[in-house]
Amino acid sequence: MSDTSRLMTDEALQRCSSCTDCSLAETRQTVVIARGNTEAPLMVIGEAPGAREDATGQPFVGRSGLALDRLLKEVGFDLERDVYICNAVKCRPPKNRRPKRSELAACRPWLDLQLDLVNPEVIVLAGATAVEAILQIKGGMSQLRGRWQSWNQRAVMPVFHPSYLLRNPSSDPGAPLDLTRADFSAVRRRLCER
Ligand code: URA
Ligand code: SF4
């Protein structure tokens, strides 16, 4: 993308902070857009902001976020340089319910702008909502995780959502945490081999 169109995309994305395109706007405190580097090779997409994110305006800053950051660091990513982190919807759903299909659809143009801006080589989809938002498939994460998919010429890796790992903290071989470490390692290897 040229510098001019990058700037225009970035400006368009700024307007997300005052978006009222779906009813989540009525209950949110803050629109949570992203953290990390807009020029990163890796984009991580989660579900939606939680309470902490809604209060701070930053994605993945609660317990799930700590778990995500730990995994990314463990496999060797520099969080400031290598990763751009965002969500399928930018406003917190009341009581942290799952976003509705209509909300995912309403918020999709913002996600598309983010994809244009960052142009990531690899996308990690954290949890079933992100998988549904991007790949438009529904399914159990146990089946979907760890298998490379291709979407718009990008490599896509579905992984368990970090909140699932918090509910299943066993670090035994073959447990969700162990499998997710392997998935993030595969992502890291792919980006190191290019
Ligand atoms: N869970 C998500 O999916 N995203 C966040 O930003 C925080 C928790
Ligand atoms: Fe707009 Fe997305 Fe927030 Fe809905 S969730 S108000 S579409 S930014």
Side-chain angles (χ1 to χ4, degrees):
M1 204 197 278
S2 71
D3 283 353
T4 323
S5 48
R6 260 191 81 82
L7 204 64
M8 281 168 64
T9 309
D10 201 17
E11 270 176 24
L13 192 55
Q14 303 302 316
R15 289 201 287 277
C16 183
S17 343
S18 52
C19 175
T20 53
D21 289 350
C22 81
S23 57
L24 295 179
E26 292 160 22
T27 46
R28 70 159 187 245
Q29 299 298 312
T30 324
V31 180
V32 180
I33 302 177
R35 67 177 163 97
N37 182 3
T38 56
E39 299 188 46
L42 172 64
M43 179 155 158
V44 178
I45 307 177
E47 180 174 294
R52 197 115 201 256
E53 291 77 19
D54 186 50
T56 59
Q58 294 274 309
F60 280 105
V61 288
R63 286 179 66 231
S64 291
L66 286 174
L68 174 64
D69 285 1
R70 194 176 315 125
L71 281 160
L72 287 164
K73 278 190 260 180
E74 266 175 19
V75 301
F77 285 114
D78 178 329
L79 292 176
E80 307 292 314
R81 184 192 62 198
D82 303 329
V83 198
Y84 179 90
I85 298 175
C86 63
N87 285 301
V89 303
K90 317 301 178 206
C91 302
R92 182 191 183 197
K95 300 187 184 146
N96 297 344
R97 64 158 171 78
R98 275 190 73 173
K100 296 176 186 167
R101 191 177 297 160
S102 59
E103 292 158 353
L104 287 168
C107 215
R108 182 55 194 262
W110 299 121
L111 187 57
D112 286 333
L113 275 178
Q114 292 179 300
L115 285 157
D116 284 349
L117 179 69
V118 180
N119 191 23
E121 276 168 61
V122 176
I123 302 171
V124 165
L125 301 175
T129 302
V131 169
E132 199 183 324
I134 291 291
L135 298 174
Q136 254 107 52
I137 49 174
K138 275 194 174 208
M141 286 309 297
S142 300
Q143 269 68 52
L144 291 166
R145 63 137 284 276
R147 299 191 181 166
W148 285 109
Q149 309 265 353
S150 174
W151 176 79
N152 283 4
Q153 276 113 55
R154 296 178 210 278
V156 175
M157 174 62 85
V159 302
F160 287 123
H161 192 282
S163 67
Y164 179 76
L165 304 178
L166 295 174
R167 295 194 299 274
N168 296 273
S170 164
S171 49
D172 292 349
L177 183 59
D178 182 51
L179 297 173
T180 307
R181 274 206 197 98
D183 297 345
F184 276 96
S185 293
V187 168
R188 175 72 181 165
R189 276 198 307 281
R190 183 159 191 139
L191 284 167
C192 286
E193 279 163 8
R194 76 209 142 104

